[in-house]
Amino acid sequence: MISLDTADLLLLCALRDDSRLSLRDLGAKVSMSAPAVAARLRRLEENHVIEAYTVSVNPGTFALTVEALLYVCVSIHKEADFVFEMRKTLCVSSLYRIGADYTYMAVASFDSIEKLNSFALNMEQNYGRTKVQLILKKEFSARAPMELLHVDK
């Protein structure tokens, strides 16, 4: 496992918030030159700390203003079909295998409550007991978890 210092953590935090920052801008955030930042990023990439630089698309672009968590209790013999179906369903942005009362939790977006209801009914009819919770407000999302410490900068 690679050892991360404060500069590494600051770089990761900056990239997590904006993966398009230039090497110069990243360097300004951690008091390093652009070549030093490039070397650190290369090391983080080679050690698989950084796996990808991605883009986050605003669901509002597609007028998908209704976002929900859908919990589904899927029987073991339907799990492969369920995962396959969720993978190809474009309104589903995330799928988690969970414990407790439900087998899976999906995060999905819709342009209306009616479409959410139709989707939830389809899941219940085809895969099992389904519970829906509306997301009222996103405080933040798509953040990579990091070590539990506070970095001042």
Side-chain angles (χ1 to χ4, degrees):
M1 180 182 216
I2 185 173
S3 177
L4 301 176
D5 64 13
T6 301
D8 292 327
L9 293 172
L10 289 171
L11 283 172
L12 292 170
C13 285
L15 287 170
R16 178 179 67 183
D17 293 339
D18 184 358
S19 64
R20 295 187 61 193
L21 287 173
S22 68
L23 295 175
R24 189 172 60 109
D25 291 340
L26 284 167
K29 291 185 178 289
V30 296
S31 303
M32 295 173 72
S33 68
V37 168
R40 280 191 182 251
L41 292 178
R42 191 169 28 261
R43 180 178 65 91
L44 293 170
E45 291 165 358
E46 289 168 355
N47 286 283
H48 306 286
V49 174
I50 296 176
E51 294 180 338
Y53 298 88
T54 64
V55 63
S56 176
V57 177
N58 181 341
T61 302
F62 303 103
L64 303 177
T65 56
V66 178
E67 192 167 28
L69 304 174
L70 295 106
Y71 297 86
V72 187
C73 188
V74 180
S75 66
I76 195 155
H77 69 278
K78 289 187 176 183
E79 283 191 45
D81 291 340
F82 176 77
V83 172
F84 177 78
E85 187 67 28
M86 292 302 100
R87 215 180 274 285
K88 71 178 192 169
T89 302
L90 297 180
C91 69
V92 175
S93 58
S94 300
L95 181 66
Y96 302 93
R97 177 89 163 71
I98 60 174
D101 297 333
Y102 292 87
T103 318
Y104 288 94
M105 182 189 77
V107 180
S109 301
F110 305 88
D111 62 4
S112 68
I113 290 289
E114 291 79 17
K115 287 188 180 168
L116 164 59
N117 187 51
S118 175
F119 184 77
L121 287 172
N122 180 52
M123 288 179 44
E124 190 155 81
Q125 290 169 353
N126 291 298
Y127 298 106
R129 183 170 44 102
T130 300
K131 176 174 91 170
V132 176
Q133 291 184 319
L134 289 177
I135 296 174
L136 300 177
K137 179 183 176 189
K138 274 189 187 179
E139 300 295 343
F140 60 87
S141 66
R143 272 179 43 159
M146 293 188 186
E147 186 176 349
L148 183 63
L149 60 94
H150 181 76
V151 178
D152 291 321
K153 188 91 177 186

